[in-house]
C-alpha cells in the first residue's frame, strides 16, 4: 500500500501489482484477511495513519528511518538478496551491526503479530525479509494452541555453498523451519 500525507489527511492506495493482493480474494463472510507490513515511521501524524490503515485491515510495523534503511536496503537488498541468488554481496565482511537491525525488525514484526493472533488464525510470512519471524513467533505464541505459520519464499533459495558463507545461517534456517508449511516460488 502506498501512503501519502497531504493537507493534514492520510490517503492510501493499494498497489495493484503487489504479489500479496490476491490474498484479499480469500476474504469471505467467515474469514478476514489482515496485512501486517513494515512501513517507514512517518514524520507526522503516526496515530492518524495507523487508524487509517486499520480501517483497511492493515497493521503497520513502523520502523525508524535508520532501522528501516539498515534492515531493508542494506541487509535485505544489498547483502541477503545477492546471496540468495548465488551472487557475492557487495561487502567482503559480514555486517553484524546491520544484521542486528534485521533481527530487531523481525522481532518487532513477530511481537506485533503476537498481539493480534488468535487461535485458528493462519499467519503467512512472505519472503526473505522475515526469515527469523516464524522461529520468533513459535517461541512467543504460548497463548495460541497449534498456531499455523506459513512461510513463502518468493526469491531463490541459495545453493549450499552460498548459505555456508552466511554466519547466522543456523539462526535463519531454524527461523524458516519453525513454520508449519514452507512454500517456494518456482
Amino acid at each position: 500500500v502506498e501512503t501519502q500525507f497531504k493537507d493534514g489527511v492520510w490517503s492510501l492506495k493499494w498497489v495493484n501489482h503487489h504479489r500479496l493482493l490476491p490474498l484479499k480474494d480469500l476474504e469471505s463472510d467467515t474469514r478476514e484477511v489482515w496485512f501486517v507490513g513494515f512501513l517507514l515511521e512517518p514524520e507526522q501524524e503516526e496515530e492518524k495513519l495507523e487508524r487509517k490503515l486499520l480501517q483497511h485491515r492493515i497493521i503497520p510495523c513502523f520502523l525508524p528511518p535508520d532501522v528501516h534503511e539498515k534492515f531493508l536496503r542494506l541487509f535485505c537488498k544489498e547483502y541477503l538478496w545477492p546471496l540468495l541468488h548465488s551472487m557475492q554481496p557487495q561487502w567482503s565482511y559480514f555486517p553484524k551491526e546491520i544484521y542486528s537491525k534485521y533481527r530487531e525488525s523481525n522481532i518487532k514484526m513477530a511481537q506485533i503479530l503476537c498481539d493480534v493472533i488468535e487461535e485458528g488464525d493462519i499467519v503467512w510470512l512472505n519472503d526473505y525479509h522475515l526469515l527469523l519471524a516464524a522461529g520468533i513467533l513459535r517461541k512467543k505464541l504460548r497463548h495460541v494452541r497449534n498456531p499455523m505459520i506459513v512461510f513463502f519464499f518468493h526469491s531463490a533459495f541459495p545453493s549450499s555453498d552460498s548459505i555456508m558463507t552466511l554466519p547466522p545461517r543456523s539462526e535463519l534456517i531454524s527461523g524458516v523451519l519453525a513454520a508449519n508449511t514452507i512454500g517456494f516460488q518456482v
Side-chain angles (χ1 to χ4, degrees):
V1 71
E2 292 176 356
T3 60
Q4 182 181 23
F5 187 72
K6 187 175 180 181
D7 300 326
V9 177
W10 281 104
S11 62
L12 304 179
K13 178 182 168 190
W14 281 100
V15 181
N16 289 329
H17 67 275
H18 196 279
R19 61 183 169 242
L20 291 180
L21 206 53
L23 291 176
K24 287 188 73 56
D25 294 338
L26 296 175
E27 288 189 318
S28 69
D29 292 339
T30 58
R31 180 179 32 229
E32 293 180 343
V33 174
W34 285 77
F35 294 90
V36 182
F38 292 109
L39 287 173
L40 185 60
E41 201 171 68
E43 293 177 12
Q44 70 262 339
E45 305 289 347
E46 183 176 315
E47 289 179 12
K48 275 187 184 179
L49 175 58
E50 187 168 5
R51 282 194 303 275
K52 182 80 167 181
L53 290 164
L54 289 171
Q55 291 171 358
H56 295 274
R57 295 191 179 132
I58 301 169
I59 302 169
C61 180
F62 290 121
L63 297 176
D66 65 316
V67 174
H68 190 271
E69 169 77 1
K70 289 175 182 169
F71 157 68
L72 188 61
R73 192 180 70 74
L74 295 178
F75 190 76
C76 288
K77 303 282 189 211
E78 291 185 12
Y79 189 84
L80 196 52
W81 190 92
L83 192 72
L84 292 172
H85 292 82
S86 298
M87 296 185 283
Q88 277 300 109
Q90 294 180 13
W91 299 304
S92 58
Y93 62 93
F94 179 72
K96 290 180 186 176
E97 182 212 344
I98 294 170
Y99 178 72
S100 73
K101 300 304 179 188
Y102 178 85
R103 181 186 291 123
E104 179 182 326
S105 299
N106 273 251
I107 290 168
K108 186 170 184 177
M109 174 64 77
Q111 187 56 57
I112 287 172
L113 288 167
C114 283
D115 292 344
V116 297
I117 293 171
E118 298 174 357
E119 194 163 328
D121 288 352
I122 299 171
V123 179
W124 182 288
L125 300 171
N126 204 49
D127 224 356
Y128 64 98
H129 309 85
L130 295 168
L131 293 173
L132 300 173
I136 297 164
L137 277 172
R138 185 71 59 203
K139 291 175 187 166
K140 289 182 173 272
L141 282 175
R142 303 282 185 225
H143 66 285
V144 177
R145 202 176 91 226
N146 299 322
M148 173 56 87
I149 302 171
V150 176
F151 183 87
F152 194 85
F153 247 116
H154 283 280
S155 56
F157 195 80
S159 68
S160 59
D161 290 344
S162 290
I163 201 80
M164 291 305 289
T165 67
L166 190 58
R169 63 188 166 273
S170 294
E171 181 180 29
L172 294 168
I173 291 171
S174 294
V176 172
L177 292 176
N180 299 77
T181 303
I182 303 169
F184 295 90
Q185 181 173 320
V186 288

